[in-house]
Amino acid sequence: MARSERRELKIREVLALRQPDLTIVIENIHDPHNVSAVLRSCDAVGVLRVELLYTSEKFPRIGRKSSSGANKWLELRKHSSVDECYAALRKEGYAVLATFLGESSRSLYDLDLTKKTALVFGNEHRGVSKEAARKADGNFQIPMLGMIQSLNVSVACAVALYESLRQRLSAGALNRPKLNEEELAVLYRSWIER
Amino acid sequence: MARSERRELKIREVLALRQPDLTIVIENIHDPHNVSAVLRSCDAVGVLRVELLYTSEKFPRIGRKSSSGANKWLELRKHSSVDECYAALRKEGYAVLATFLGESSRSLYDLDLTKKTALVFGNEHRGVSKEAARKADGNFQIPMLGMIQSLNVSVACAVALYESLRQRLSAGALNRPKLNEEELAVLYRSWIER
């Protein structure tokens, strides 16, 4: 098979596995290495579009090398406020769940991540803002059994995204494309030019 | 409760959740940020001891800040060769499973990680060495659905460790300490001095 044919096939295969019903919101994550690792995990589990909520930090410049180009294969959508971001997501039918260590936070492993979900991850030092946590449809936390009280944000994001992938694989949710034929065609024409 | 009492209690709680039947081998991972993130994930899921297999690289100096001190709460054991490392682990009853993209590699989600297991992760650029993959009891891979063919090593490690934690939580394997009373007492006396 010619190189261009392999590429076309790869793009079709990857698009057929994209999960338009799974997204993440990254709120003011400022380290480019963290953002790159997050985007790489998003590509790996089939996220189609990532929501960027940058209110107090700038979205970092991402080197092509560190992200291994994952940003090339993700749609990035910018938001200017928590309200605007959550309203857009809810209009599209997403339940918005924010990582937050609180008394009413549920365990990651008690969530049904086969449903249409947007997961919110916060800044490296401050975590998800109180506003973003409070206005979400629910909060969750990743169980931690150790002496240290936090995980690297790109690690936390990958653990949650992969739990979603595990649940979807287990439910047979990846056996057919979630994008319809028209959406697949539009994305294919865009990706093939990248 | 006084601060020293809270610390004693915290150490007892964490030791009661340590998983002596789960370990990882890190083979020539050279970036200190990656090593730090890996150690932080180990602490979070209850790994007791980490196996260091450094044959072509030096084990990096880890700043206290970047690891948030996770290395302080892990036993680190050095090995000089794949043979010596795997022999030591097998003598203790571990099945050794290496991350490797091969035809006979099983999916992470098909592994029983409630069993006594050592997971092998390799260098950022070269992955697990062919020798370490070939001599392992089995190889596994983390499913990837995207355009990019690899994950950040600290991300891969966290996804695998958390899958183990998920299985153990689900099996009720964390309801009582896995270390016996004497081991707990010895570790407690060591940790309280750290």
Side-chain angles (χ1 to χ4, degrees), chain B residues 123-151:
Chain B
N123 174 271
E124 290 86 344
H125 304 296
R126 302 184 300 276
V128 166
S129 68
K130 280 184 187 157
E131 183 189 5
R134 192 182 68 244
K135 291 179 174 170
D137 299 308
N139 294 160
F140 72 100
Q141 53 188 316
I142 297 172
M144 284 185 284
L145 315 183
M147 292 295 287
I148 311 297
Q149 299 297 329
S150 68
L151 292 168

Side-chain angles (χ1 to χ4, degrees), chain B residues 141-172:
Chain B
Q141 53 188 316
I142 297 172
M144 284 185 284
L145 315 183
M147 292 295 287
I148 311 297
Q149 299 297 329
S150 68
L151 292 168
N152 174 287
V153 65
S154 68
V155 157
C157 190
V159 167
L161 286 171
Y162 264 95
E163 172 58 13
S164 170
L165 177 58
R166 186 194 68 79
Q167 291 183 12
R168 287 164 187 237
L169 284 168
S170 163

Side-chain angles (χ1 to χ4, degrees), chain A residues 10 14 40 43-44 68 73 109 142-143 145-152 155 158-159 162-163 165-166 174, chain B residues 10 14 40-41 43-44 68 73 109 142-143 145-152 155 158-159 162-163 165-166 174:
Chain A
K10 175 77 179 172
V14 168
R40 214 163 146 189
D43 172 64
S68 303
W73 308 108
Y109 300 117
I142 296 171
L145 315 181
M147 292 295 285
I148 311 297
Q149 299 296 328
S150 68
L151 292 168
N152 174 286
V155 157
V159 167
Y162 264 94
E163 173 58 12
L165 176 58
R166 185 194 69 78
L174 280 81
Chain B
K10 174 78 180 172
V14 168
R40 213 162 146 191
S41 301
D43 172 64
S68 301
W73 308 107
Y109 300 116
I142 297 172
L145 315 183
M147 292 295 287
I148 311 297
Q149 299 297 329
S150 68
L151 292 168
N152 174 287
V155 157
V159 167
Y162 264 95
E163 172 58 13
L165 177 58
R166 186 194 68 79
L174 280 81

Side-chain angles (χ1 to χ4, degrees), chain B residues 51-72:
Chain B
E51 316 290 335
L52 308 181
L53 178 54
Y54 280 75
T55 53
S56 62
E57 308 264 349
K58 274 199 176 171
F59 183 66
R61 251 184 91 97
I62 306 165
R64 277 198 62 156
K65 198 184 162 208
S66 55
S67 70
S68 301
N71 52 326
K72 191 171 159 185

